[in-house]
């Protein structure tokens, strides 16, 4: 039988890598940008997702957009919208 011993430091590192998809950004624009963008889904660290604070672009790891209709016009505008939000995400990241 193999036993694993995880120290507190290793446990904290593991918990910091857990990410959760949330739709909280769809209701209010995210902080950290002058543009009032509201992504449908955002991937956040678990501790940020559980906190009751307003979301910030610096916390977001990835974005997702949900669309209902698939027409040539909505597909093209969806790509443009997602590209703009991705630019905000990359701009807000450190380093």
């Amino acid at each position: 039988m193999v036993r694993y011993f995880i120290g507190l430091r290793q446990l904290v590192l593991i918990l910091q890598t857990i990410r959760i998809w949330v739709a909280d950004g769809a209701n209010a624009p995210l902080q950290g940008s002058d543009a009032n963008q509201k992504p449908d889904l955002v991937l956040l660290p678990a501790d940020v997702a559980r906190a009751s604070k307003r979301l910030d672009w610096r916390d977001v790891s990835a974005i997702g957009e949900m669309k209902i209709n698939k027409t040539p016009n909505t597909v093209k505008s969806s790509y443009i919208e997602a590209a703009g939000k991705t630019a905000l995400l990359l701009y807000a990241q450190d380093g």
Side-chain angles (χ1 to χ4, degrees), residues 22-33 35-42 44 53-57 60 65 85 88:
V22 296
D24 298 346
N27 300 325
L30 276 64
Q31 291 181 330
S33 171
N36 290 328
Q37 296 291 326
K38 299 185 286 185
D40 296 334
L41 296 168
V42 291
L44 299 171
K53 65 173 189 161
R54 190 163 168 211
L55 298 180
D56 194 300
W57 280 105
V60 177
E65 289 294 318
K85 292 176 183 176
L88 289 173

Side-chain angles (χ1 to χ4, degrees), residues 18-80:
I18 296 173
R19 305 273 192 259
I20 298 174
W21 285 100
V22 296
D24 298 346
N27 300 325
L30 276 64
Q31 291 181 330
S33 171
D34 293 335
N36 290 328
Q37 296 291 326
K38 299 185 286 185
D40 296 334
L41 296 168
V42 291
L43 184 64
L44 299 171
D47 57 339
V48 173
R50 292 185 185 111
S52 60
K53 65 173 189 161
R54 190 163 168 211
L55 298 180
D56 194 300
W57 280 105
R58 291 172 289 193
D59 299 324
V60 177
S61 299
I63 61 166
E65 289 294 318
M66 304 290 289
K67 300 297 177 198
I68 295 172
N69 299 326
K70 184 179 178 183
T71 65
N73 288 340
T74 58
V75 170
K76 183 177 179 179
S77 66
S78 296
Y79 282 126
I80 293 169

